Amino acid sequence: MPPQFPTGILIDMRIAGIGAGSWGTALASLLRSKGHDVVLWDIDPEPVRSIEETGNNSRYLPGIDLSPGLRATTDLAEAVAGAELIILAVPSQVMREVAEEIRPLLPTAAPDVVLCSVTKGIEVETLMLMHEVLEDVLPPEVHPRLTYLSGPSFAVEVAAGLPTAVTIAGKDLTQARRVQVAVHTPYFRPYLTEDVVGVEIGGGVKNVVAIAAGLADGMGFDANAHAALITRGLSEMARLGMARGANPLTFGGLSGVGDLVLTCSSTKSRNYRVGQALGQRRSLQSIQEELGQVAEGVVNAKAVHLLATSLGVEMPLCNAVYRLLYEGLSPQDAITELAARDLKHELPGRDIPE
Ligand SMILES: NC(=O)c1ccc[n+]([C@@H]2O[C@H](COP(=O)([O-])OP(=O)(O)OC[C@H]3O[C@@H](n4cnc5c(N)ncnc54)[C@H](O)[C@@H]3O)[C@@H](O)[C@H]2O)c1
């Protein structure tokens, strides 16, 4: 018997996808496959033209046929008008400017429009998480309808219909539930949580740890180092999250260890590839030129470093990535420094004998 799906709640919604990059396009295609009326917007006419004319996004998801009937536009007002769900899938550092453009258009959306940020990162100028940026820009009546989707989800796999599980966070679970029902498919399983901060800290930190994992790989290290990096990276993520009031259990979930394992273990991750190339002594500039897409970990290494410093949270791994990217620390010196640190108890805040 085929899987049964909840029906009746916001099925066949009018949906605006903001950002026709890899993730925005993959989610838009998934949503369209359920029969929703989806309009993708992008500032860049190239992916819009490609989707409209060929049914593919040749720049961001080459070779993948998108769901028939998916529409795309460079006119933000057209995308937002009548929308019942707005998916925000732009890089973290432009979330504020995009939200500012959406704000005056919100009265044209459905009165109970729910917004879902699928962006992972911290605004480097302000050290705000995406929910803080959105609450800063958008009117208070919208705040209970802000939700956040995160977890281990490579866009290319979602676009290809491969099984994926994610977490949707919302301060108001009834709103997050609306998004859960809207995105649920036989191969895309969303869970719910109220822990917005925990989910967002996980998404911000994991890309930085992925650079470290790629670096270790690029330097020729093997499985032992890989496992140690993921585990200690998780520890740093949890420390920062708890300092911001997150539920520690969140970091054992999909948006924590789940996303960390994914991002640290595959060359599908741009951040992992950045680290790998750095480990092979290539310059950051040449790596970024070659990628031509957002590697959130690069700017988020700075944001995480600054946030951890401001909160007095020790994050040696993320700090080493920051110094590697911004202060010219060599990969070999980063490893030497990490290994030479004072010996510690494995659990935070515990002393060891003299
Ligand atoms: N790619 C993935 O597999 C994946 C999965 C989960 C989450 N994410 C997260 O989703 C977010 C978007 O990632 P992505 O991979 O889709 O990025 P991307 O680089 O593939 O696409 C970003 C898109 O945003 C557009 N954009 C719109 N307004 C912009 C503006 N003002 N300035 C610059 N670009 C603008 C760009 O033109 C581009 O099409 C990131 O935070 C990322 O961490 C990505």
Side-chain angles (χ1 to χ4, degrees):
M1 195 169 141
Q4 301 293 301
F5 291 97
T7 52
I9 316 170
L10 296 179
I11 293 295
D12 298 330
M13 296 166 85
R14 180 51 191 88
I15 297 174
I18 306 302
S22 316
W23 194 212
T25 304
L27 283 171
S29 185
L30 172 138
L31 288 159
R32 176 64 199 150
S33 75
K34 286 190 69 175
H36 297 301
D37 177 14
V38 188
V39 181
L40 254 181
W41 168 86
D42 205 281
I43 197 169
D44 179 359
E46 172 47 31
V48 168
R49 188 204 53 75
S50 177
I51 293 166
E52 280 286 293
E53 291 179 8
T54 69
N56 287 259
N57 186 337
S58 53
R59 168 146 186 225
Y60 291 105
L61 292 172
I64 292 181
D65 288 334
L66 305 173
S67 301
L70 175 63
R71 296 187 283 146
T73 180
T74 52
D75 181 349
L76 189 60
E78 181 191 338
V80 170
E84 297 163 275
L85 169 60
I86 299 176
I87 304 275
L88 299 161
V90 293
S92 54
Q93 304 312 310
V94 302
M95 180 65 93
R96 181 178 294 274
E97 69 180 69
V98 170
E100 277 167 356
E101 284 176 44
I102 289 175
R103 181 179 49 200
L105 300 172
L106 279 178
T108 71
D112 62 346
V113 60
V114 58
L115 291 91
C116 183
S117 161
V118 299
T119 296
K120 294 171 181 169
I122 299 167
E123 189 178 57
V124 73
E125 291 293 319
T126 61
L127 304 185
M128 285 180 175
L129 301 172
M130 291 301 105
H131 79 273
E132 294 167 313
V133 171
L134 291 174
E135 288 179 3
D136 204 27
V137 174
L138 300 176
E141 61 271 20
V142 177
H143 297 184
R145 286 180 269 125
L146 294 172
T147 63
Y148 307 86
L149 184 150
S150 192
S153 47
F154 284 135
V156 66
E157 293 191 17
V158 171
L162 295 172
T164 302
V166 297
T167 302
I168 299 170
K171 291 179 182 172
D172 180 346
L173 267 202
T174 52
Q175 300 301 329
R177 166 79 179 146
R178 294 171 66 197
V179 183
Q180 182 186 40
V181 173
V183 300
H184 181 203
T185 77
Y187 62 90
F188 195 80
R189 182 166 178 78
Y191 290 81
L192 290 187
T193 179
E194 298 88 348
D195 188 9
V196 172
V197 171
V199 163
E200 290 217 296
I201 289 283
V205 173
K206 63 100 192 183
N207 283 329
V208 183
V209 182
I211 294 178
L215 184 88
D217 182 32
M219 292 174 76
F221 299 171
D222 210 338
N224 293 353
H226 189 76
L229 280 170
I230 291 178
T231 314
R232 295 311 301 166
L234 178 63
S235 183
E236 293 190 13
M237 177 192 285
R239 278 206 295 275
L240 184 65
M242 286 189 284
R244 283 291 328 261
N247 180 343
L249 289 177
T250 298
F251 302 105
L254 290 163
S255 61
V257 69
D259 211 357
L260 197 57
V261 169
L262 180 89
T263 319
C264 290
S265 307
S266 171
T267 50
K268 284 180 194 155
S269 160
R270 295 170 203 165
N271 299 289
Y272 181 91
R273 293 208 303 273
V274 166
Q276 202 179 30
L278 286 171
Q280 293 158 351
R281 305 310 300 261
R282 288 188 47 206
S283 78
L284 180 58
Q285 196 188 343
S286 80
I287 300 163
Q288 286 191 302
E289 278 168 12
E290 187 182 289
L291 271 181
Q293 297 174 352
V294 171
E296 286 278 21
V298 174
V299 70
N300 274 284
K302 189 172 190 179
V304 166
H305 165 73
L306 293 173
L307 185 60
T309 306
S310 73
L311 293 170
V313 177
E314 210 186 347
M315 299 184 73
L317 204 52
C318 291
N319 190 35
V321 174
Y322 166 75
R323 292 182 54 215
L324 202 82
L325 294 171
Y326 293 98
E327 294 184 352
L329 183 69
S330 74
Q332 193 52 56
D333 286 349
I335 300 300
T336 308
E337 280 188 22
L338 283 170
R341 292 174 60 243
D342 286 349
L343 295 171
K344 307 263 180 190
H345 199 291
E346 189 172 18
L347 303 181
R350 304 275 180 96
D351 293 328
I352 57 168
E354 287 296 320

